[in-house]
Amino acid sequence: MTLQQIQEATQFLQQHTQHFTPTTGIILGTGLGALVQDIDVAYSIDYENIPHFPVSTVESHKGRLLFGTLVGKQVICMQGRFHYYEGYSMQQVTFPIRVMKLLGIQQLIVSNAAGGLNENYQVSDLMIINDHISLFLPGNPLIGPNLSTLGDRFPDMSEPYEAKFVEKALQIAQSNGIRAHAGVYVSVTGPQLETKAEYRMLRLLGADAVGMSTVPEVIVARHMDLPVVGISVITDMCIPEQLEKAEIQKILAAAYKAEPHMTFIIKELLA
Ligand code: HPA
């Protein structure tokens, strides 16, 4: 995707939102849409109406951009994200992040549903992402000519998730009786869940949770020097010896259960 396409989408959104300037971008993951109920929405724009935007295909994703106010802060919220497994290129998956940056965001909050690899975790716990492993994603959104107006050719990845926000999020969780851990997220393409042998390998690699999103968006955000907060909701446990059959309904139910906790932490962080 070209800089011109990013700029055209940005201009379209500026025109349709009276130049609303969000300071924080929020991406809501699978089953984690309830935060929008707390947003005082000023503008809601379906992805399909935005020039060059990919259109979401997953049923549990709504597919629109919301501009509004959350705890007094101007935010832009992606209700539904794009996954590589849906058939989009890595550049399409990350296109909205670049648009949000041009719209003015100064930080990005990403959420996702993830499988727990760390045996200290329980279903519906939160994991505040403190690092990631970009694995099995064939390709990378930054491959190709560098968009040098957005960032450097070789972006630093020494602190992809802002350490002070990780600490803050853990503190908020602790003082409010919310189960949360800091941990490493590993990305896979999906859409199939992993085999026991794969879970064994992912644990050996040092991952605490596994999921099918987030890493491409964070790479692109860091390319543009955006500070990132990442929150995984643990929707199922992936310990090979105790593996149960994955059921999407159970996964969604676990996400819904943890959703108020995640929403609370995001609001507290913003405030
Ligand atoms: N793998 C395993 N379990 C999961 C995932 C995944 O990618 N996402 C949510 N639960």
Side-chain angles (χ1 to χ4, degrees):
M1 316 248 3
T2 63
L3 185 59
Q4 192 181 338
Q5 288 172 317
I6 301 165
Q7 287 166 338
E8 282 170 9
T10 305
Q11 279 156 14
F12 171 89
L13 290 167
Q14 286 168 333
Q15 280 158 11
H16 287 78
T17 61
Q18 259 63 283
H19 292 262
F20 185 101
T21 307
T23 54
T24 301
I26 302 172
I27 306 177
L28 297 176
T30 306
L32 301 171
L35 180 73
V36 301
Q37 289 157 17
D38 294 315
I39 300 176
D40 185 7
V41 178
Y43 303 96
S44 165
I45 301 178
D46 291 347
Y47 292 158
E48 59 190 359
N49 296 330
I50 307 171
H52 314 299
F53 243 63
V55 176
S56 186
T57 61
V58 179
E59 274 171 45
S60 45
H61 286 65
K62 288 237 169 59
R64 58 187 174 208
L65 267 186
L66 304 174
F67 294 75
T69 312
L70 179 65
V71 290
K73 302 289 187 303
Q74 299 214 328
V75 301
I76 177 170
C77 179
M78 286 182 70
Q79 195 176 14
R81 62 143 60 83
F82 304 100
H83 299 87
Y84 183 76
Y85 64 73
E86 294 173 83
Y88 304 114
S89 69
M90 294 292 263
Q91 296 213 346
Q92 286 177 306
V93 166
T94 55
F95 183 78
I97 319 304
R98 289 175 155 161
V99 172
M100 289 196 286
K101 165 76 181 186
L102 293 200
L103 284 170
I105 66 166
Q106 288 152 31
Q107 55 192 356
L108 180 69
I109 302 177
V110 272
S111 62
N112 59 56
L117 296 164
N118 184 318
E119 54 212 14
N120 298 322
Y121 293 6
Q122 292 172 12
V123 169
S124 295
D125 281 0
L126 300 182
M127 185 185 88
I128 314 303
I129 308 177
N130 65 7
D131 211 344
H132 73 217
I133 302 174
S134 173
L135 189 73
F136 297 152
L137 290 179
N140 175 312
L142 301 181
I143 287 176
N146 183 45
L147 299 180
S148 55
T149 46
L150 299 181
D152 294 339
R153 173 78 289 189
F154 302 107
D156 171 65
M157 273 289 169
S158 59
E159 192 183 316
Y161 302 85
E162 200 80 358
K164 64 173 189 285
F165 293 149
V166 175
E167 273 315 303
K168 188 83 202 149
L170 290 173
Q171 276 167 19
I172 295 166
Q174 203 181 15
S175 31
N176 290 278
I178 294 173
R179 283 183 56 96
H181 320 268
V184 175
Y185 178 92
V186 62
S187 63
V188 293
T189 66
Q192 85 286 3
L193 297 184
E194 294 69 41
T195 65
K196 289 179 191 161
E198 286 164 345
Y199 287 137
R200 217 168 281 130
M201 174 190 72
L202 296 173
R203 280 159 56 91
L204 275 176
L205 292 178
D208 298 297
V210 53
M212 305 176 193
S213 67
T214 302
V215 169
E217 291 119 315
V218 173
I219 290 173
V220 161
R222 294 304 303 143
H223 175 244
M224 301 182 297
D225 213 20
L226 274 179
V228 175
V229 178
I231 305 180
S232 293
V233 169
I234 305 299
T235 53
D236 51 290
M237 285 305 294
C238 305
I239 309 299
E241 296 74 28
Q242 302 153 20
L243 193 64
E244 293 173 17
K245 243 191 166 115
E247 288 172 46
I248 186 71
Q249 287 315 327
K250 269 198 190 166
I251 288 179
L252 289 177
Y256 294 141
K257 188 171 164 220
E259 201 168 26
H261 292 162
M262 186 192 82
T263 301
F264 181 82
I265 290 184
I266 290 178
K267 287 198 290 190
E268 288 288 308
L269 278 177
L270 275 174

